[in-house]
Coordinates of all heavy atoms in Angstrom, one line a residue:
M347 N 124.3 120.6 70.4 CA 124.0 121.9 69.9 C 123.3 121.8 68.6 O 123.8 121.0 67.7 CB 125.2 122.7 69.8 CG 125.0 124.1 69.3 SD 125.0 125.2 70.6 CE 124.7 126.7 69.8
G348 N 122.2 122.5 68.3 CA 121.5 122.4 67.1 C 122.1 123.3 66.0 O 123.0 124.1 66.2
S349 N 121.6 123.1 64.8 CA 122.0 123.9 63.6 C 121.2 125.2 63.5 O 120.0 125.1 63.8 CB 121.9 123.1 62.3 OG 122.7 122.0 62.4
P350 N 121.7 126.3 63.1 CA 120.9 127.5 62.9 C 119.8 127.2 61.9 O 119.9 126.4 60.9 CB 121.9 128.5 62.3 CG 123.2 128.0 62.8 CD 123.1 126.5 62.8
V351 N 118.6 127.8 62.1 CA 117.4 127.6 61.3 C 117.3 128.7 60.2 O 117.6 129.8 60.5 CB 116.2 127.6 62.2 CG1 114.9 127.5 61.4 CG2 116.2 126.4 63.2
Q352 N 116.7 128.3 59.1 CA 116.5 129.2 58.0 C 115.1 129.9 58.3 O 114.2 129.3 58.6 CB 116.4 128.5 56.7 CG 116.2 129.4 55.5 CD 117.2 130.4 55.3 OE1 118.4 130.2 55.6 NE2 116.9 131.6 54.7
C353 N 115.1 131.2 58.1 CA 113.9 132.0 58.2 C 113.4 132.5 56.9 O 114.2 133.2 56.2 CB 114.1 133.2 59.1 SG 114.5 132.7 60.8
A354 N 112.2 132.1 56.5 CA 111.6 132.5 55.2 C 112.6 132.3 54.0 O 113.3 131.2 54.0 CB 111.1 133.9 55.2
G355 N 112.8 133.2 53.1 CA 113.7 133.0 52.0 C 114.9 133.9 52.1 O 115.7 134.0 51.2
I356 N 115.1 134.5 53.3 CA 116.3 135.4 53.5 C 117.6 134.6 53.4 O 117.8 133.6 54.1 CB 116.2 136.1 54.8 CG1 114.8 136.8 54.9 CG2 117.3 137.0 55.1 CD1 114.5 137.2 56.4
G357 N 118.5 135.0 52.5 CA 119.8 134.4 52.4 C 119.9 133.1 51.6 O 120.9 132.4 51.8
L358 N 118.9 132.8 50.8 CA 119.0 131.6 49.9 C 119.6 132.0 48.5 O 119.2 133.0 48.0 CB 117.7 131.0 49.8 CG 117.0 130.4 51.0 CD1 115.6 129.9 50.7 CD2 117.8 129.3 51.6
T359 N 120.4 131.2 48.0 CA 120.9 131.3 46.6 C 121.0 130.0 46.0 O 121.0 128.9 46.6 CB 122.3 132.0 46.6 OG1 123.2 131.1 47.3 CG2 122.3 133.4 47.1
D360 N 121.1 129.9 44.6 CA 121.4 128.7 43.9 C 122.8 128.6 43.6 O 123.6 129.4 44.0 CB 120.5 128.6 42.7 CG 120.8 129.5 41.6 OD1 121.7 130.4 41.8 OD2 120.2 129.5 40.5
S361 N 123.2 127.6 42.8 CA 124.6 127.4 42.5 C 125.2 128.5 41.7 O 126.4 128.7 41.6 CB 124.8 126.0 41.9 OG 124.0 125.9 40.7
A362 N 124.4 129.2 40.9 CA 124.8 130.4 40.1 C 124.7 131.7 40.8 O 124.8 132.7 40.2 CB 124.1 130.4 38.8
A363 N 124.5 131.7 42.2 CA 124.4 132.9 43.0 C 123.1 133.7 42.7 O 123.1 134.9 43.1 CB 125.6 133.7 42.9
S364 N 122.1 133.1 42.1 CA 120.8 133.8 42.0 C 120.2 133.8 43.3 O 120.1 132.8 44.0 CB 119.9 133.1 41.0 OG 120.4 133.1 39.7
T365 N 119.7 135.0 43.8 CA 119.1 135.1 45.1 C 117.6 134.8 45.1 O 116.9 135.0 44.1 CB 119.3 136.5 45.7 OG1 118.7 137.4 44.8 CG2 120.8 136.8 45.8
A366 N 117.1 134.4 46.3 CA 115.7 134.1 46.4 C 115.0 135.5 46.5 O 115.4 136.4 47.2 CB 115.4 133.3 47.7
T367 N 113.9 135.6 45.7 CA 113.1 136.8 45.7 C 111.8 136.7 46.5 O 111.3 137.6 47.0 CB 112.7 137.3 44.3 OG1 112.1 136.2 43.6 CG2 114.0 137.6 43.5
S368 N 111.3 135.4 46.6 CA 110.1 135.2 47.3 C 110.0 133.7 47.7 O 110.6 132.9 47.1 CB 108.8 135.6 46.6 OG 108.6 134.8 45.5
V369 N 109.1 133.5 48.7 CA 108.9 132.1 49.2 C 107.4 131.9 49.4 O 106.8 132.8 50.0 CB 109.7 131.9 50.5 CG1 109.3 130.5 51.0 CG2 111.2 132.0 50.3
V370 N 106.9 130.8 48.9 CA 105.5 130.4 49.2 C 105.6 129.4 50.3 O 106.2 128.4 50.2 CB 104.8 129.8 48.0 CG1 103.4 129.4 48.4 CG2 104.7 130.9 46.9
S371 N 105.1 129.7 51.5 CA 105.3 128.9 52.7 C 103.9 128.4 53.2 O 102.9 129.2 53.2 CB 106.0 129.6 53.8 OG 106.2 128.8 54.9
A372 N 103.9 127.2 53.8 CA 102.7 126.7 54.5 C 102.7 127.1 55.9 O 101.7 127.0 56.6 CB 102.7 125.2 54.3
N373 N 103.9 127.6 56.4 CA 104.0 128.0 57.8 C 103.6 129.5 58.0 O 104.3 130.3 57.5 CB 105.4 127.8 58.3 CG 105.7 128.3 59.7 OD1 104.8 128.3 60.5 ND2 106.9 128.7 59.9
L374 N 102.5 129.7 58.7 CA 102.1 131.0 59.0 C 102.2 131.4 60.4 O 102.0 132.6 60.8 CB 100.6 131.2 58.5 CG 100.3 130.9 57.1 CD1 98.8 130.9 56.8 CD2 101.1 131.8 56.2
R375 N 102.5 130.5 61.3 CA 102.5 130.8 62.7 C 103.9 130.7 63.4 O 104.2 131.6 64.2 CB 101.6 129.7 63.4 CG 100.2 129.8 62.9 CD 99.3 128.8 63.6 NE 98.7 129.5 64.7 CZ 98.0 129.0 65.6 NH1 97.8 127.7 65.6 NH2 97.4 129.7 66.5
A376 N 104.7 129.7 63.2 CA 106.0 129.6 63.9 C 107.0 130.6 63.3 O 107.2 130.6 62.1 CB 106.5 128.2 63.8
K377 N 107.6 131.4 64.2 CA 108.5 132.5 63.7 C 109.8 132.4 64.4 O 109.9 132.0 65.6 CB 107.9 133.8 64.0 CG 106.5 134.0 63.5 CD 106.4 135.1 62.5 CE 105.0 135.4 62.1 NZ 104.7 135.1 60.8
C378 N 110.8 132.8 63.7 CA 112.1 133.1 64.4 C 112.2 134.6 64.4 O 111.3 135.3 63.9 CB 113.3 132.5 63.6 SG 113.4 132.8 61.9
P379 N 113.2 135.2 65.1 CA 113.1 136.7 65.3 C 113.0 137.5 64.0 O 112.4 138.6 64.0 CB 114.5 137.0 65.9 CG 114.8 135.7 66.7 CD 114.3 134.6 65.8
S380 N 113.5 137.1 62.9 CA 113.4 137.9 61.7 C 112.2 137.6 60.7 O 111.9 138.5 60.0 CB 114.7 137.8 60.9 OG 114.9 136.4 60.5
A381 N 111.7 136.4 60.8 CA 110.6 136.1 59.8 C 110.0 134.7 60.2 O 110.4 134.1 61.2 CB 111.1 136.0 58.4
A382 N 109.1 134.2 59.4 CA 108.6 132.8 59.6 C 109.7 131.8 59.4 O 110.6 131.9 58.5 CB 107.4 132.6 58.7
L383 N 109.6 130.7 60.1 CA 110.5 129.6 59.9 C 110.3 128.9 58.6 O 109.2 128.7 58.2 CB 110.3 128.5 61.0 CG 110.8 128.8 62.4 CD1 110.3 127.7 63.4 CD2 112.3 129.0 62.5
A384 N 111.4 128.6 57.9 CA 111.3 127.9 56.6 C 111.0 126.4 56.9 O 111.5 125.9 57.8 CB 112.6 128.0 55.8
T385 N 110.1 125.8 56.1 CA 109.7 124.4 56.2 C 110.0 123.7 54.9 O 110.2 124.3 53.9 CB 108.3 124.2 56.7 OG1 107.4 124.6 55.6 CG2 107.9 125.0 57.9
V386 N 109.9 122.4 55.0 CA 110.1 121.5 53.8 C 109.1 121.8 52.7 O 109.3 121.6 51.6 CB 110.1 120.0 54.2 CG1 108.7 119.6 54.6 CG2 110.6 119.1 53.2
A387 N 107.9 122.4 53.1 CA 106.9 122.6 52.1 C 107.1 124.0 51.3 O 106.3 124.3 50.4 CB 105.5 122.7 52.7
D388 N 108.1 124.7 51.7 CA 108.3 126.0 51.1 C 108.8 125.9 49.6 O 109.6 125.0 49.3 CB 109.4 126.8 51.8 CG 108.9 127.3 53.2 OD1 107.8 127.0 53.5 OD2 109.7 128.0 53.8
I389 N 108.2 126.7 48.7 CA 108.7 126.8 47.3 C 109.4 128.1 47.2 O 108.8 129.2 47.4 CB 107.5 126.6 46.4 CG1 106.8 125.3 46.6 CG2 108.0 126.8 44.9 CD1 107.6 124.1 46.3
V390 N 110.6 128.1 46.7 CA 111.4 129.3 46.6 C 111.4 129.8 45.2 O 111.6 129.0 44.3 CB 112.9 129.0 47.1 CG1 113.7 130.2 47.0 CG2 112.9 128.4 48.5
T391 N 111.2 131.1 45.0 CA 111.3 131.7 43.7 C 112.7 132.4 43.6 O 113.0 133.2 44.5 CB 110.2 132.7 43.4 OG1 108.9 132.0 43.5 CG2 110.3 133.3 42.0
L392 N 113.5 132.2 42.6 CA 114.8 132.7 42.5 C 114.8 133.8 41.3 O 114.1 133.7 40.4 CB 115.8 131.6 42.2 CG 115.9 130.6 43.3 CD1 116.4 129.3 42.7 CD2 116.8 131.1 44.4
S393 N 115.7 134.8 41.5 CA 115.8 135.8 40.5 C 117.0 135.4 39.5 O 118.1 135.1 40.0 CB 116.1 137.1 41.1 OG 117.4 137.1 41.8
G394 N 116.7 135.5 38.3 CA 117.8 135.4 37.3 C 118.0 134.0 36.8 O 117.2 133.1 37.0
S395 N 119.0 133.9 36.0 CA 119.3 132.7 35.3 C 120.4 131.9 36.0 O 121.3 132.5 36.6 CB 119.6 133.0 33.9 OG 120.9 132.9 33.5
P396 N 120.4 130.6 35.9 CA 119.5 129.8 35.2 C 118.3 129.4 36.0 O 117.3 128.9 35.5 CB 120.3 128.6 34.8 CG 121.3 128.4 36.0 CD 121.6 129.8 36.4
S397 N 118.3 129.4 37.3 CA 117.3 128.9 38.1 C 116.1 129.8 38.3 O 116.2 131.0 38.3 CB 117.8 128.5 39.5 OG 118.9 127.7 39.4
V398 N 114.9 129.2 38.4 CA 113.7 130.0 38.6 C 113.0 129.5 39.9 O 112.3 130.3 40.5 CB 112.8 130.0 37.4 CG1 113.4 130.7 36.3 CG2 112.4 128.6 37.0
L399 N 113.0 128.3 40.2 CA 112.3 127.7 41.4 C 113.3 126.8 42.2 O 114.3 126.3 41.7 CB 111.1 126.9 41.0 CG 109.9 127.6 40.4 CD1 108.9 126.6 39.9 CD2 109.3 128.5 41.4
G400 N 112.9 126.6 43.4 CA 113.7 125.7 44.3 C 112.8 125.1 45.3 O 111.7 125.6 45.7
N401 N 113.1 123.9 45.7 CA 112.4 123.2 46.9 C 113.3 122.4 47.7 O 114.5 122.2 47.3 CB 111.2 122.4 46.4 CG 111.6 121.2 45.6 OD1 112.7 121.0 45.1 ND2 110.7 120.2 45.6
W402 N 112.9 121.9 48.8 CA 113.7 121.2 49.8 C 113.5 119.7 49.7 O 112.4 119.2 49.6 CB 113.4 121.8 51.2 CG 113.7 123.2 51.3 CD1 112.8 124.2 51.2 CD2 115.0 123.8 51.4 NE1 113.5 125.4 51.3 CE2 114.8 125.2 51.4 CE3 116.3 123.3 51.5 CZ2 115.9 126.0 51.5 CZ3 117.4 124.1 51.5 CH2 117.2 125.5 51.5
L403 N 114.7 119.0 49.7 CA 114.6 117.6 49.7 C 114.9 116.9 51.0 O 114.3 115.9 51.4 CB 115.7 117.1 48.7 CG 115.6 117.6 47.3 CD1 116.7 117.2 46.4 CD2 114.2 117.2 46.6
V404 N 115.8 117.5 51.8 CA 116.2 117.0 53.1 C 116.1 118.1 54.2 O 116.9 119.0 54.2 CB 117.7 116.5 53.1 CG1 118.1 115.9 54.4 CG2 117.9 115.4 52.0
P405 N 115.0 118.0 55.0 CA 114.8 119.0 56.0 C 115.5 118.6 57.3 O 116.2 117.6 57.4 CB 113.3 119.0 56.2 CG 112.9 117.6 55.9 CD 113.9 117.1 54.8
A406 N 115.3 119.3 58.4 CA 115.8 118.9 59.7 C 115.1 117.6 60.1 O 114.0 117.4 59.8 CB 115.5 120.0 60.7
L407 N 115.8 116.8 60.9 CA 115.3 115.5 61.3 C 114.3 115.6 62.5 O 113.4 114.8 62.5 CB 116.5 114.6 61.6 CG 117.4 114.3 60.5 CD1 118.6 113.4 61.0 CD2 116.7 113.6 59.4
R408 N 114.6 116.4 63.4 CA 113.8 116.4 64.7 C 113.0 117.6 65.0 O 112.3 117.6 66.0 CB 114.7 116.1 65.8 CG 115.4 114.8 65.8 CD 116.2 114.6 67.0 NE 117.4 113.9 66.7 CZ 118.5 113.9 67.4 NH1 118.6 114.6 68.4 NH2 119.6 113.2 67.0
C409 N 113.1 118.6 64.2 CA 112.5 119.9 64.5 C 111.3 120.2 63.5 O 111.6 120.2 62.3 CB 113.5 121.0 64.5 SG 112.9 122.6 65.1
K410 N 110.1 120.5 64.1 CA 109.0 120.7 63.2 C 108.3 122.0 63.6 O 108.4 122.4 64.7 CB 108.0 119.6 63.3 CG 108.6 118.3 62.7 CD 107.5 117.2 62.7 CE 108.2 116.0 62.1 NZ 107.2 114.9 62.0
A411 N 107.7 122.6 62.6 CA 106.8 123.8 62.8 C 105.5 123.5 62.2 O 105.4 123.3 61.0 CB 107.5 125.1 62.2
G412 N 104.4 123.5 62.9 CA 103.1 123.2 62.4 C 103.0 121.8 61.8 O 102.3 121.6 60.8
G413 N 103.8 120.9 62.3 CA 103.8 119.5 61.8 C 104.7 119.3 60.6 O 104.8 118.2 60.2
L414 N 105.4 120.3 60.1 CA 106.3 120.2 59.0 C 107.7 120.3 59.4 O 108.0 121.2 60.2 CB 106.0 121.3 57.9 CG 104.6 121.2 57.3 CD1 104.4 122.5 56.5 CD2 104.5 120.0 56.4
P415 N 108.6 119.5 58.9 CA 110.0 119.7 59.3 C 110.6 121.0 58.8 O 110.2 121.5 57.7 CB 110.7 118.5 58.5 CG 109.7 117.5 58.2 CD 108.4 118.3 58.1
V416 N 111.4 121.7 59.7 CA 111.9 123.0 59.3 C 113.2 122.8 58.5 O 113.8 121.7 58.4 CB 112.2 123.9 60.6 CG1 110.9 124.1 61.4 CG2 113.2 123.3 61.5
I417 N 113.7 123.9 58.0 CA 114.9 123.9 57.2 C 116.0 124.5 58.1 O 115.9 125.7 58.6 CB 114.8 124.8 56.0 CG1 113.6 124.3 55.1 CG2 116.1 124.9 55.2 CD1 113.8 122.8 54.7
N418 N 117.1 123.8 58.3 CA 118.2 124.3 59.1 C 119.5 124.3 58.2 O 119.4 123.9 57.0 CB 118.4 123.6 60.4 CG 118.8 122.1 60.2 OD1 119.0 121.6 59.1 ND2 118.8 121.4 61.3
S419 N 120.6 124.7 58.7 CA 121.8 124.9 57.9 C 122.3 123.5 57.3 O 123.2 123.6 56.4 CB 122.9 125.6 58.7 OG 123.2 124.8 59.9
S420 N 121.9 122.4 57.8 CA 122.3 121.1 57.3 C 121.3 120.6 56.3 O 121.5 119.5 55.7 CB 122.5 120.1 58.4 OG 121.3 119.9 59.1
S421 N 120.2 121.3 56.0 CA 119.2 120.8 55.0 C 119.7 120.9 53.6 O 120.6 121.7 53.3 CB 118.0 121.7 55.1 OG 117.4 121.5 56.4
V422 N 119.1 120.1 52.7 CA 119.5 120.1 51.3 C 118.3 120.4 50.4 O 117.2 119.9 50.6 CB 120.0 118.7 50.9 CG1 120.3 118.6 49.4 CG2 121.2 118.3 51.8
G423 N 118.5 121.4 49.5 CA 117.5 121.7 48.5 C 118.0 121.7 47.1 O 119.2 121.6 46.9
I424 N 117.1 121.8 46.2 CA 117.5 121.8 44.8 C 116.8 122.9 44.0 O 115.7 123.2 44.3 CB 117.3 120.4 44.1 CG1 118.0 120.4 42.7 CG2 115.8 120.1 44.0 CD1 118.2 119.0 42.3
A425 N 117.6 123.5 43.1 CA 117.0 124.6 42.2 C 116.7 124.0 40.9 O 117.4 123.0 40.4 CB 118.0 125.7 42.1
Y426 N 115.7 124.6 40.2 CA 115.3 124.1 38.9 C 115.4 125.3 37.9 O 115.0 126.4 38.2 CB 113.9 123.6 38.9 CG 113.7 122.4 39.8 CD1 113.4 122.6 41.2 CD2 114.0 121.1 39.3 CE1 113.3 121.5 42.0 CE2 113.8 120.0 40.2 CZ 113.5 120.2 41.5 OH 113.4 119.1 42.3
A427 N 115.7 124.9 36.6 CA 115.8 125.9 35.5 C 114.8 125.4 34.4 O 114.6 124.2 34.3 CB 117.2 125.9 35.0
P428 N 114.3 126.4 33.7 CA 113.4 126.0 32.6 C 114.1 125.3 31.5 O 115.3 125.6 31.2 CB 112.8 127.3 32.1 CG 113.7 128.4 32.7 CD 114.4 127.8 33.8
S429 N 113.5 124.4 30.8 CA 114.0 123.7 29.7 C 112.9 123.4 28.7 O 111.7 123.5 29.1 CB 114.7 122.4 30.1 OG 113.8 121.4 30.5
P430 N 113.1 122.9 27.5 CA 112.1 122.6 26.6 C 111.1 121.6 27.1 O 109.9 121.5 26.7 CB 112.8 122.2 25.3 CG 114.1 122.8 25.4 CD 114.4 122.8 26.9
T431 N 111.5 120.7 28.0 CA 110.7 119.6 28.5 C 110.1 120.0 29.9 O 109.4 119.1 30.5 CB 111.5 118.3 28.6 OG1 112.6 118.5 29.4 CG2 111.9 117.9 27.2
G432 N 110.3 121.2 30.4 CA 109.7 121.5 31.7 C 110.9 122.1 32.5 O 111.7 122.9 32.0
L433 N 110.9 121.7 33.8 CA 112.0 122.2 34.7 C 113.0 121.1 34.9 O 112.6 119.9 35.1 CB 111.4 122.6 36.0 CG 110.5 123.8 36.0 CD1 109.8 124.0 37.4 CD2 111.2 125.1 35.6
T434 N 114.3 121.5 34.8 CA 115.3 120.5 35.1 C 116.2 121.0 36.2 O 116.4 122.2 36.4 CB 116.2 120.3 33.8 OG1 116.8 121.6 33.5 CG2 115.5 119.7 32.7
P435 N 116.7 120.1 37.0 CA 117.6 120.5 38.2 C 118.8 121.3 37.7 O 119.4 120.9 36.7 CB 118.0 119.2 38.8 CG 116.9 118.2 38.4 CD 116.5 118.6 37.0
S436 N 119.1 122.4 38.4 CA 120.2 123.2 37.9 C 121.3 123.3 39.0 O 122.3 124.0 38.8 CB 119.7 124.6 37.5 OG 119.1 125.2 38.6
G437 N 121.1 122.7 40.2 CA 122.1 122.7 41.2 C 121.4 122.9 42.6 O 120.2 123.0 42.7
P438 N 122.2 122.9 43.6 CA 121.7 122.9 45.0 C 121.3 124.3 45.4 O 121.8 125.3 44.9 CB 122.9 122.4 45.9 CG 124.1 122.9 45.1 CD 123.7 122.7 43.6
L439 N 120.3 124.4 46.4 CA 120.0 125.6 47.0 C 121.0 125.8 48.2 O 121.4 124.8 48.8 CB 118.6 125.6 47.7 CG 117.4 125.7 46.8 CD1 116.1 125.6 47.6 CD2 117.5 127.1 46.0
R440 N 121.5 127.0 48.4 CA 122.5 127.3 49.4 C 121.9 128.2 50.5 O 121.2 129.2 50.1 CB 123.7 127.9 48.8 CG 124.4 127.0 47.8 CD 125.8 127.4 47.6 NE 126.5 126.4 46.9 CZ 127.0 126.5 45.7 NH1 126.9 127.7 45.0 NH2 127.6 125.5 45.1
I441 N 122.1 127.9 51.7 CA 121.7 128.7 52.8 C 122.8 129.5 53.2 O 123.8 129.0 53.8 CB 121.2 127.8 54.0 CG1 120.0 127.0 53.5 CG2 120.8 128.7 55.2 CD1 119.5 126.0 54.6
N442 N 122.8 130.8 52.9 CA 123.9 131.7 53.2 C 123.8 132.4 54.5 O 124.8 132.9 55.1 CB 124.1 132.7 52.1 CG 124.4 132.1 50.8 OD1 125.1 131.1 50.7 ND2 123.8 132.6 49.7
A443 N 122.6 132.6 55.0 CA 122.4 133.4 56.2 C 121.3 132.9 57.1 O 120.2 133.4 57.3 CB 122.0 134.9 55.8
P444 N 121.5 131.7 57.7 CA 120.5 131.2 58.7 C 120.5 132.1 59.9 O 121.4 132.8 60.2 CB 121.0 129.8 59.0 CG 122.5 129.8 58.8 CD 122.7 130.8 57.7
D445 N 119.4 132.1 60.6 CA 119.2 132.9 61.8 C 120.0 132.2 63.0 O 119.7 131.1 63.4 CB 117.7 133.0 62.2 CG 117.5 134.0 63.3 OD1 118.2 134.0 64.3 OD2 116.7 134.9 63.1
Q446 N 121.1 132.9 63.4 CA 122.0 132.3 64.4 C 121.3 132.3 65.8 O 121.8 131.6 66.7 CB 123.3 133.2 64.5 CG 124.0 133.2 63.2 CD 124.6 131.8 62.9 OE1 124.9 131.0 63.7 NE2 124.6 131.4 61.6
R447 N 120.2 133.0 66.0 CA 119.5 133.0 67.3 C 118.5 131.9 67.5 O 118.0 131.7 68.6 CB 118.8 134.4 67.5 CG 119.8 135.6 67.5 CD 119.1 136.9 67.4 NE 118.6 137.0 66.0 CZ 117.9 138.0 65.6 NH1 117.7 139.0 66.4 NH2 117.5 138.1 64.3
T448 N 118.2 131.2 66.4 CA 117.2 130.1 66.4 C 117.9 128.9 65.9 O 118.5 128.9 64.8 CB 116.0 130.4 65.6 OG1 115.5 131.7 65.9 CG2 114.9 129.4 65.8
S449 N 117.8 127.8 66.6 CA 118.5 126.5 66.2 C 117.6 125.3 66.5 O 116.8 125.4 67.4 CB 119.9 126.4 66.8 OG 119.8 126.3 68.2
C450 N 117.9 124.2 65.8 CA 117.2 122.9 66.1 C 118.1 121.8 65.5 O 119.0 122.1 64.8 CB 115.8 122.9 65.5 SG 115.8 122.7 63.7
M451 N 117.8 120.6 65.9 CA 118.6 119.4 65.4 C 117.9 118.8 64.2 O 116.7 118.8 64.0 CB 118.7 118.4 66.5 CG 119.5 119.0 67.6 SD 119.8 117.7 68.8 CE 121.3 118.2 69.5

């Protein structure tokens, strides 16, 4: 049985519970019932402090959309916060609401 897949930026938070406000995605075609499938190339914009951006480090191993690995509930992402030297890691991205109707391994 596969893991539920993440759709767009719905239900993403960082370690400080800042929610995702938008996602820049390379995937324009593959969709789950609620939105486009999230892929490893997605850049997440978060609301609030401390994090402002997030990206994915470990996507799904066997499931791809448009040639890019998708994001499922076992994927790992990292959030970044501004600092005097640029962006520094501020904690993991959390998938709170993957689409239960779409899954992959």
